[in-house]
Amino acid sequence: MRHNRSTLRRLVVALLWTFGAMVASLASAAEMGDVPWDEWDAQARAAREIVNIGEIRQERLEELRATFEMQRSEASRVSAAAADEISRIEGELQALGDPPAEGETEAPAAARIRSELNEALSSVRAVQGRADRAVTRARDLIADLAELGQQRFIQRLGELKPSPALPTRWVTAGAFLGQIFDSIRGEVREMADTSSMGNLLQSRLPLAALAIASALFVAFGVRTLLLRLLLKRADESSPRRNRLLIGVGATLTRILALLIAAILFFVGIDLLDVFGKVGEAFFTGFGLGLFLLVGAYSIAAALFSPMAAGLRASNVNDSDARMGFIATLVLGVVLHLTAVVDQVGEVLTIPDGASAVYTVVFIAIGACALWVLSNVMQFTTANDDPQEDGQIGVQVNTIIRRILKFVAIVSPILALIGYEFAARYLFFPTVISLGVIGVAHLVFVVIREGVEIYLADSGEGTSETTGQRLRLIPILIAFLLFCALVPLLALIWGATVTDLLVTYEAISEGFRIGDVALSPMDFVTFALVFVIGYTLTRMLQRVLRLSVLPKAGMNRGGADAIGAGVGYVGVFLSAIAAISAAGLDLSNLAIVAGALSVGIGFGLQNIVNNFVSGVILLVERPIRVGDWIEVGGFAGYVKKVNVRSTEIETFDRATYILPNSDLISGAVLNWTHADTTGRVIAPVGVAYGTDPRLVERVLLDIARDHPMVIASPAPVAYLMQFGSDSVDFELRVFLRDVNWMLSVRSDLNFKIAERFAEEGIEIPFAQRDLHIKNPEALADAFRGPRNSTVPDERTGPSAAADGNGP
């Protein structure tokens, strides 16, 4: 009977699990879905054959890599969904309990559910196994295809073609240019000869002419007018805010005006519709190159600004600015012409000789421009700190200059020898990378200038700490720009999107330390949760110190102690929450903490001792912030009780940092521990023969008249002793605030001197009588004998003893 009740309870639990997991089951099934396993297998077999043969176009190779990257991602998702489903089914089986032992039976309903769950578990495990195999296969194929692509790339780098220095190559290059223009002319004539096209052309010609005219008007009219209006207000004597706004406005004007003009121009060309394949390729390359030229012009104008030095984003003189502007424009023209030739070459096959000639001409012109840029380029601004420039700006400039000079020398030589692909690969990515870095530099300069302008305008309203924090914004922007530049530069230098995805997946998977898996997202999650917790802790501390605790009547020392305790607890809880959110197992951290405790016990004893002492100081509060203490030969006010040490501000306004353990284990004199009441002693001596009761009465009158002296305990005047020179008294008074001890003692001494003079009481000073024996001998010694001689080294003291000395 007991066995049946247990079985029934298990059956109810299993039914509840089944009902509660229906939504998760449907979601997992939807995620696993209908996977095209057969199609994946066929694609993998075809790719394996291609890899074994090694003959494939570069475009097809990249398509295959992208295909298998998608397969790997999809298979990974299916595997993860299957793992979740397996975990759910195993939980349901665990809820059913252990299967009946041999010879035992269970309820039919429970047996049926167990059988269904086991069948589903086997099916899902099969799906997971197939997905895992697909992931492994896709990874292997991606790696093999990448290796094949690298081999082909290296082979192309080392491919040597006939040198373009041969005269016949130049003849071929000139003939190919004539072929391009002849083809475009023939296409236009052929399209215009048809009657229908002629009528259509006549109807579109006004719109096309309007679009092209508008493009020219925007490029040369509107842009020039707006720039002239902006540059009139740009002066080095203008406020930094105005110069920044004008510089940003001028850059946006150049970019937007030229882009709008380019779009209008190509709309007009498209309306004509009189070009064939060669014409379309020509204008496609012309448009791509025009965008590159617009970018080069905008970057050159912003970095060098030859017409307005106040808008210059680089620290160069006027002459270098003009040279840099012209060199950057030349590079833009080279990129523009190269784009046109490359696009036409996809339609008309460019002869090897012509391609080599174009390459060496374009690279030679661009190399001269790169050399000029390497001499005038400065990725620093005139407002930079010289020390900061020496540490960062000069180093960056030196590295970039050396790279540009190397490329300017090597790439034309490679092109002239016949290594056309190697020369193009070295030169053009360098130029485009330089432009991207220039854009990033402009963004950084604008943000940094904005922060500095804000701080300058805020003036005294911004504290030094706030200013330092705001100056961290450009550093954060620089880091984000660097993170954005890395994949972009990788694409420029030949990497593909698939390469970036593979790299991202590898980074996302992270690394393992034992059973703990760590990934960059874990670090980001940890940092984000900890920062949020830390910020909330600081906000709570601020509310407690400024609003809650003062209204509760707590003094500053108690409020600081509670605030520090809340800070310690908040930071600890933030760290625990961040560790849990990052998915780290706290049990594993407990083992690590146990190991660290051994090291702490041996190597960090003093730090732990000071930390525990700091906790004791905050709990027992033998000293508090604001107390006047004397310890270790120093006296001053407690400014802050930290985790490891306590800061004491001496009366010389110096900070004395004392380890907390010294405050706990050593003797400390705290003048203001319980209250601010304290005693002051003013000693004074009077001449013999003075009425002591008169002195007592005068001293007590002086004490009672001082506003800082309290009536209880009452001031007293003691006759301490009969000294050798005076009768010594001490005036002892209690002050309501011992922090005024020195001032009160000084006031009492001034008043004592004044009253004693009025009462005729003499304050004696020590006198000494000097009695000289044998004054005649002393006088003779000063005068000296008539025939005195000084003993020398040869005679020694014996000569003086014989009567020759004094």
XYZ file of all heavy atoms in Angstrom, residues 684-737:
423
model
N 52.633 80.551 36.046
C 53.178 81.897 36.169
C 53.957 81.987 37.495
O 53.622 81.318 38.474
C 52.058 82.958 36.129
C 51.108 82.840 37.306
C 52.655 84.360 36.050
N 55.023 82.773 37.497
C 55.817 82.969 38.708
C 55.826 84.428 39.126
O 55.801 85.323 38.271
N 55.836 84.685 40.477
C 55.867 86.040 41.009
C 57.074 86.175 41.917
O 57.651 85.190 42.396
C 54.573 86.370 41.772
C 53.385 86.304 40.847
C 54.379 85.444 42.969
N 57.444 87.411 42.161
C 58.630 87.673 42.981
C 58.354 87.395 44.447
O 57.205 87.463 44.915
C 59.068 89.126 42.794
N 59.399 87.015 45.161
C 59.275 86.829 46.608
C 58.884 88.150 47.256
O 59.361 89.218 46.860
C 60.598 86.324 47.184
C 60.799 84.822 47.008
C 61.521 84.333 45.934
C 60.246 83.931 47.908
C 61.705 82.978 45.749
C 60.420 82.562 47.747
C 61.152 82.084 46.665
O 61.315 80.735 46.500
N 58.010 88.029 48.239
C 57.510 89.211 48.924
C 56.158 89.641 48.432
O 55.534 90.530 49.015
N 55.650 89.007 47.361
C 54.319 89.319 46.835
C 53.283 88.578 47.652
O 53.473 87.414 48.041
C 54.197 88.919 45.356
O 55.253 89.531 44.628
C 52.858 89.361 44.783
N 52.133 89.248 47.935
C 51.039 88.630 48.681
C 50.446 87.490 47.845
O 49.869 87.730 46.775
C 49.973 89.672 48.986
C 48.852 89.115 49.867
O 48.948 87.928 50.260
O 47.877 89.849 50.112
N 50.559 86.222 48.263
C 50.044 85.101 47.463
C 48.529 85.143 47.308
O 47.997 84.718 46.292
C 50.534 83.874 48.231
C 50.820 84.346 49.606
C 51.223 85.778 49.510
N 47.798 85.648 48.318
C 46.349 85.704 48.178
C 45.932 86.728 47.127
O 44.935 86.537 46.425
C 45.728 86.070 49.529
C 45.892 84.991 50.590
C 45.217 83.695 50.124
N 45.400 82.614 51.096
C 44.947 81.365 50.930
N 44.308 81.079 49.789
N 45.150 80.447 51.839
N 46.703 87.804 47.030
C 46.417 88.767 45.970
C 46.615 88.135 44.592
O 45.802 88.316 43.672
C 47.329 89.990 46.130
C 47.235 91.053 45.032
C 45.831 91.632 44.973
C 48.287 92.143 45.230
N 47.684 87.369 44.474
C 47.916 86.676 43.199
C 46.788 85.716 42.895
O 46.284 85.632 41.766
C 49.270 85.951 43.239
C 49.473 85.134 41.971
C 50.410 86.939 43.436
N 46.347 84.971 43.908
C 45.255 84.014 43.707
C 43.992 84.728 43.256
O 43.297 84.288 42.329
C 45.019 83.252 45.002
C 43.866 82.250 44.897
C 43.560 81.615 46.239
O 43.910 82.202 47.280
O 42.953 80.526 46.247
N 43.666 85.842 43.924
C 42.445 86.563 43.588
C 42.515 87.119 42.160
O 41.545 87.055 41.396
C 42.238 87.694 44.605
C 40.912 88.418 44.406
C 40.624 89.364 45.557
N 41.642 90.396 45.687
C 42.565 90.418 46.647
N 42.610 89.437 47.549
N 43.459 91.418 46.711
N 43.663 87.648 41.764
C 43.797 88.193 40.415
C 43.650 87.101 39.362
O 42.963 87.263 38.346
C 45.149 88.922 40.281
C 45.407 89.289 38.833
C 45.185 90.160 41.159
N 44.310 85.965 39.605
C 44.220 84.866 38.627
C 42.791 84.359 38.474
O 42.330 84.100 37.351
C 45.150 83.722 39.043
C 46.657 84.017 38.985
C 47.450 82.809 39.492
C 47.094 84.363 37.567
N 42.073 84.228 39.593
C 40.691 83.733 39.496
C 39.798 84.753 38.805
O 38.883 84.387 38.052
C 40.169 83.406 40.892
C 40.847 82.218 41.596
C 40.264 82.014 42.991
C 40.697 80.941 40.761
N 40.029 86.032 39.052
C 39.228 87.048 38.356
C 39.456 86.972 36.839
O 38.514 87.098 36.042
C 39.609 88.433 38.877
C 39.110 88.666 40.302
O 38.217 87.903 40.723
O 39.636 89.575 40.969
N 40.721 86.793 36.453
C 41.036 86.688 35.018
C 40.327 85.485 34.407
O 39.765 85.556 33.300
C 42.553 86.593 34.825
C 43.224 87.919 35.217
C 42.894 86.226 33.381
C 44.726 87.854 35.229
N 40.344 84.327 35.109
C 39.732 83.113 34.587
C 38.225 83.275 34.449
O 37.619 82.878 33.449
C 40.071 81.929 35.483
N 37.586 83.848 35.461
C 36.123 83.973 35.435
C 35.656 84.927 34.333
O 34.539 84.800 33.825
C 35.629 84.441 36.794
C 35.856 83.438 37.920
C 35.141 83.884 39.188
N 35.485 83.027 40.325
C 36.358 83.346 41.271
N 36.977 84.532 41.214
N 36.599 82.520 42.260
N 36.481 85.889 33.994
C 36.068 86.857 32.976
C 36.186 86.324 31.543
O 35.623 86.937 30.618
C 36.936 88.124 33.097
C 36.621 88.914 34.365
O 35.529 88.690 34.913
O 37.477 89.713 34.781
N 36.871 85.229 31.332
C 37.040 84.722 29.970
C 35.773 83.981 29.535
O 35.270 83.108 30.256
C 38.251 83.788 29.884
C 38.746 83.597 28.473
N 38.110 82.792 27.555
C 39.822 84.131 27.818
C 38.765 82.821 26.411
N 39.817 83.636 26.549
N 35.240 84.266 28.366
C 33.967 83.637 27.955
C 34.075 82.137 27.670
O 33.046 81.449 27.700
C 33.599 84.417 26.683
C 34.886 84.955 26.161
C 35.733 85.238 27.373
N 35.251 81.638 27.398
C 35.367 80.228 27.065
C 35.498 79.345 28.304
O 35.321 78.126 28.229
C 36.580 80.026 26.136
C 36.671 78.651 25.493
S 35.274 78.246 24.430
C 35.558 79.393 23.098
N 35.793 79.936 29.472
C 35.974 79.178 30.701
C 34.612 78.890 31.315
O 33.754 79.785 31.409
C 36.860 79.953 31.696
C 37.001 79.197 33.007
C 38.231 80.218 31.089
N 34.376 77.624 31.695
C 33.097 77.228 32.283
C 33.156 77.383 33.799
O 34.238 77.420 34.417
C 32.733 75.778 31.901
C 33.793 74.802 32.418
C 32.600 75.655 30.382
C 33.457 73.350 32.133
N 31.978 77.478 34.423
C 31.902 77.698 35.869
C 32.015 76.414 36.666
O 32.409 76.433 37.840
C 30.588 78.404 36.220
N 31.697 75.297 36.054
C 31.776 74.027 36.771
C 32.383 72.988 35.831
O 31.815 72.714 34.749
C 30.383 73.561 37.208
O 30.463 72.302 37.880
N 33.512 72.411 36.211
C 34.314 72.689 37.407
C 34.856 74.120 37.396
O 35.219 74.644 36.340
C 35.440 71.682 37.332
C 34.966 70.630 36.372
C 34.069 71.339 35.408
N 34.938 74.710 38.586
C 35.357 76.097 38.719
C 36.855 76.222 38.522
O 37.610 75.287 38.802
C 34.970 76.618 40.103
N 37.297 77.351 38.019
C 38.740 77.569 37.881
C 39.406 77.648 39.259
O 38.801 78.116 40.229
C 38.833 78.888 37.127
C 37.534 79.576 37.365
C 36.509 78.502 37.534
N 40.651 77.209 39.310
C 41.416 77.203 40.557
C 42.800 77.749 40.265
O 43.306 77.648 39.144
C 41.513 75.801 41.189
C 40.149 75.302 41.651
C 42.130 74.817 40.189
N 43.412 78.335 41.354
C 44.783 78.832 41.273
C 45.580 78.164 42.379
O 45.241 78.306 43.564
C 44.823 80.350 41.401
N 46.599 77.433 42.020
C 47.400 76.693 42.980
C 48.766 77.354 43.128
O 49.379 77.783 42.145
C 47.606 75.246 42.534
C 46.347 74.414 42.580
C 45.740 73.990 41.400
C 45.776 74.050 43.794
C 44.605 73.227 41.431
C 44.619 73.283 43.829
C 44.044 72.873 42.641
O 42.908 72.119 42.669
N 49.229 77.403 44.406
C 50.616 77.774 44.666
C 51.403 76.472 44.633
O 51.315 75.646 45.552
C 50.755 78.483 46.015
C 52.059 79.228 46.270
C 51.862 80.289 47.358
C 53.208 78.321 46.660
N 52.171 76.283 43.580
C 52.793 74.989 43.337
C 54.065 74.786 44.143
O 54.273 73.739 44.758
C 53.096 74.830 41.836
C 51.863 74.931 40.956
S 50.635 73.663 41.348
C 51.538 72.182 40.945
N 54.951 75.820 44.191
C 56.221 75.642 44.886
C 56.924 76.990 45.044
O 56.577 77.961 44.388
C 57.129 74.677 44.115
C 57.579 75.217 42.773
C 58.532 74.276 42.046
O 58.956 73.284 42.613
N 58.855 74.610 40.810
N 57.908 76.985 45.963
C 58.778 78.130 46.141
C 60.057 77.830 45.374
O 60.911 77.075 45.839
C 59.061 78.385 47.624
C 57.833 78.739 48.400
C 57.113 77.775 49.095
C 57.360 80.047 48.426
C 55.978 78.107 49.808
C 56.215 80.375 49.141
C 55.509 79.404 49.824
N 60.159 78.391 44.234
C 61.289 78.110 43.378
C 62.521 78.895 43.763
O 62.514 79.725 44.686
N 63.566 78.639 43.023
C 64.827 79.312 43.313
C 64.781 80.788 42.962
O 65.515 81.593 43.546
C 65.963 78.639 42.549
O 65.703 78.684 41.151
N 63.914 81.146 41.999
C 63.861 82.537 41.551
C 62.504 83.179 41.764
O 62.384 84.403 41.661
C 64.211 82.637 40.060
C 65.577 82.078 39.780
O 66.528 82.483 40.449
O 65.679 81.221 38.859
N 61.433 82.351 41.962
C 60.092 82.909 42.049
C 59.196 81.974 42.830
O 59.530 80.803 43.087
C 59.523 83.139 40.652
O 59.392 81.910 39.979
N 58.046 82.528 43.182
C 56.979 81.723 43.761
C 56.080 81.299 42.597
O 55.508 82.146 41.904
C 56.192 82.523 44.817
C 55.082 81.657 45.412
C 57.122 83.029 45.910
N 55.949 79.987 42.359
C 55.289 79.455 41.162
C 53.825 79.151 41.439
O 53.493 78.425 42.399
C 56.007 78.193 40.684
C 57.445 78.481 40.287
O 57.703 79.613 39.850
O 58.293 77.563 40.397
N 52.955 79.713 40.586
C 51.507 79.467 40.640
C 51.081 78.767 39.326
O 51.766 78.846 38.299
C 50.741 80.771 40.792
C 50.829 81.392 42.146
C 51.923 82.164 42.505
C 49.809 81.201 43.080
C 52.003 82.738 43.753
C 49.894 81.793 44.331
C 50.993 82.564 44.674
N 49.933 78.094 39.380
C 49.292 77.525 38.175
C 47.822 77.871 38.197
O 47.120 77.634 39.195
C 49.461 76.002 38.108
C 50.815 75.557 37.622
C 50.870 74.052 37.380
O 49.822 73.388 37.570
O 51.944 73.558 37.014
N 47.351 78.460 37.087
C 45.935 78.730 36.897
C 45.354 77.615 36.042
O 45.753 77.432 34.895
C 45.735 80.091 36.228
C 44.288 80.468 35.888
C 43.430 80.528 37.148
C 44.245 81.798 35.133
N 44.418 76.865 36.607
C 43.816 75.720 35.903
C 42.345 76.005 35.686
O 41.600 76.240 36.642
C 43.989 74.435 36.705
C 45.465 74.093 36.955
C 45.620 72.752 37.623
N 47.030 72.414 37.804
C 47.466 71.255 38.276
N 46.581 70.309 38.605
N 48.761 71.031 38.425
N 41.965 75.965 34.394
C 40.574 76.258 34.022
C 40.093 75.190 33.056
O 40.876 74.552 32.346
C 40.455 77.648 33.368
C 40.889 78.744 34.346
C 41.276 77.728 32.092
N 38.776 75.000 33.010
C 38.141 74.072 32.076
C 37.404 74.872 31.005
O 36.694 75.841 31.321
C 37.166 73.149 32.815
C 37.849 72.034 33.562
C 38.250 72.224 34.875
C 38.102 70.821 32.944
C 38.887 71.212 35.566
C 38.728 69.803 33.645
C 39.139 69.994 34.958
N 37.601 74.454 29.773
C 36.999 75.126 28.626
C 35.815 74.326 28.117
O 35.780 73.090 28.185
C 38.029 75.290 27.493
C 39.388 75.890 27.882
C 40.266 75.997 26.654
C 39.212 77.238 28.543
N 34.852 75.056 27.557
C 33.712 74.364 26.946
C 34.079 73.723 25.614
O 33.396 72.820 25.151
C 32.545 75.332 26.775
C 32.846 76.542 25.903
C 31.568 77.339 25.666
N 30.887 77.623 26.901
C 31.057 78.726 27.633
N 31.920 79.649 27.216
N 30.396 78.921 28.744
N 35.147 74.181 24.979
C 35.631 73.584 23.729
C 37.150 73.572 23.767
O 37.801 74.630 23.645
C 35.130 74.372 22.513
C 35.375 73.637 21.202
O 36.109 72.625 21.219
O 34.837 74.077 20.167
